[in-house]
Amino acid sequence: EKKKKLEVPSKPELATSLSPDHPFYNEVNEIVSNHLRRLLSEVKEPKDDWMCIVDQGDLKVFKRELEENGVPLDPMKAVCTVKGMTGHEVCHYFWAFDTRMEWEATLEASRVVEWLSDDTFISNNIIKRVWPASQRDACFWSHMRHISKSNDEGPDSWIVVNYSCEHDDCPPTKYVRITMNVALICETIIEPPVSGNITRDNITCKITYTADVNPGGWAPASVLRAVYKREYPKFLRRFTTFVEEKTHNKDIMF
Ligand code: 16C
């Protein structure tokens, strides 16, 4: 039964407004498919190599400890269940550039470098400095899409991917450049009311967030791990509270 939850779209080329001729077209489709495949394989065969570092019931954060030449690369994963909002709404606000600074507490500044299509843009994020390390920045494309299903069963799902890239208008000259592969996948669960219309009380969103971040050079592992343990749950609380405030008195965006 669980296997039906998410399907890798068989025709990803229909799912984006990026033109097939666009230089980023293949990369975007490949990275999105990889995330969906990774999630599917974990539903089928749950792996126990994730270490739970935060458990607040509705919000759990996991990590795998990984280091390369002394650089901590710990993959992070979080799952969070929120009531009253759809996966489309959660993904929309995670992706939307114009409101990013309203919930992003770890950024000093953010700017759009280029719009590639109406579902994909490249941005430059300058991250707040963490003592004693040098300040970091990131350049990545952000892409949002609906996950098409091969059958009508199972929850409606959306995905946003933030994936590092290079851009001539964003050279890595001023800060240490981090690289990352971040995905937010949301499933909307609707418990239809006995009578009447669906309201926000009937809606639950199941969020899976994954972040593979390379801090791009020396960073003290113990400081970084302490910052991650504090900042990832904080981000999810702050961000989902933000989406709740933005949506609670608006029509439901299914
Ligand atoms: O996914 C999130 N935000 C997205 C939109 O902005 C985007 C960004 C992802 C980048 C997340 C990783 C940043 C790692 C920086 C490493 C800095 C190394 C410093 C060395 C330390 C010894 O996908 C939400 C991201 C939630 C981020 C949580 C963890 C970030 C820690 C960043 C440190 C800033 C601390 C500021 C303290 C007030």
Side-chain angles (χ1 to χ4, degrees):
E1 197 255 332
K2 272 194 165 174
K3 284 180 199 162
K4 279 189 186 155
K5 278 181 121 183
L6 279 168
E7 303 271 346
V8 176
S10 50
K11 289 186 178 165
E13 67 273 18
L14 297 174
T16 173
S17 59
L18 252 184
S19 153
D21 312 325
H22 196 282
F24 277 97
Y25 178 82
N26 287 336
E27 179 175 281
V28 168
N29 283 322
E30 192 186 318
I31 301 300
V32 168
S33 298
N34 288 349
H35 278 291
L36 297 176
R37 209 171 296 123
R38 183 158 91 166
L39 195 74
L40 261 181
S41 75
E42 281 177 19
V43 172
K44 280 184 189 157
E45 291 166 45
K47 294 194 193 87
D48 54 2
D49 53 353
W50 288 99
M51 195 193 296
C52 183
I53 54 164
V54 175
D55 185 351
Q56 301 175 351
D58 59 332
L59 165 62
K60 292 186 176 68
V61 180
F62 305 86
K63 73 165 179 186
R64 287 201 334 251
E65 286 199 357
L66 184 68
E67 257 175 61
E68 219 174 71
N69 306 321
V71 178
L73 302 176
D74 301 0
M76 305 293 295
K77 179 162 110 168
V79 288
C80 181
T81 307
V82 277
K83 290 195 152 273
M85 55 191 93
T86 65
H88 189 187
E89 290 169 330
V90 173
C91 280
H92 169 80
Y93 284 104
F94 185 68
W95 173 83
F97 179 78
D98 59 341
T99 46
R100 184 178 283 170
M101 293 305 280
E102 292 178 47
W103 58 266
E104 253 290 13
T106 63
L107 295 184
E108 194 167 288
S110 187
R111 71 177 170 101
V112 172
V113 175
E114 187 186 343
W115 277 95
L116 308 184
S117 60
D118 63 8
D119 56 17
T120 313
F121 65 96
I122 294 174
S123 68
N124 182 201
N125 279 2
I126 300 164
I127 299 151
K128 286 180 184 165
R129 183 169 177 243
V130 182
W131 184 90
S134 322
Q135 190 160 21
R136 262 65 175 175
D137 83 339
C139 179
F140 56 89
W141 51 256
S142 296
H143 172 80
M144 176 169 83
R145 77 166 61 169
H146 184 230
I147 302 172
S148 49
K149 288 187 288 188
S150 55
N151 60 61
D152 284 339
E153 288 171 59
D156 192 54
S157 303
W158 285 78
I159 182 170
V160 175
V161 177
N162 290 340
Y163 189 84
S164 280
C165 64
E166 291 175 10
H167 195 286
D168 288 346
D169 298 339
C170 192
T173 44
K174 210 172 160 196
Y175 306 99
V176 176
R177 177 64 51 92
I178 68 160
T179 53
M180 63 192 205
N181 182 1
V182 170
L184 185 86
I185 300 172
C186 295
E187 294 172 68
T188 309
I189 295 138
I190 298 174
E191 287 181 81
V194 189
S195 62
N197 293 333
I198 294 170
T199 70
R200 293 197 176 273
D201 293 338
N202 309 118
I203 298 174
T204 302
C205 178
K206 203 189 139 206
I207 304 171
T208 305
Y209 172 88
T210 59
D212 289 349
V213 176
N214 184 324
W218 180 84
S222 61
V223 179
L224 191 69
R225 286 183 173 134
V227 172
Y228 281 180
K229 189 177 163 146
R230 185 188 68 211
E231 295 297 328
Y232 280 104
K234 215 164 124 185
F235 139 64
L236 278 160
R237 288 274 177 232
R238 193 176 145 106
F239 169 65
T240 52
T241 304
F242 168 79
V243 179
E244 208 217 313
E245 283 164 4
K246 282 281 176 190
T247 54
H248 76 277
N249 53 9
K250 290 202 179 90
D251 286 347
I252 301 167
M253 183 164 77
F254 286 102

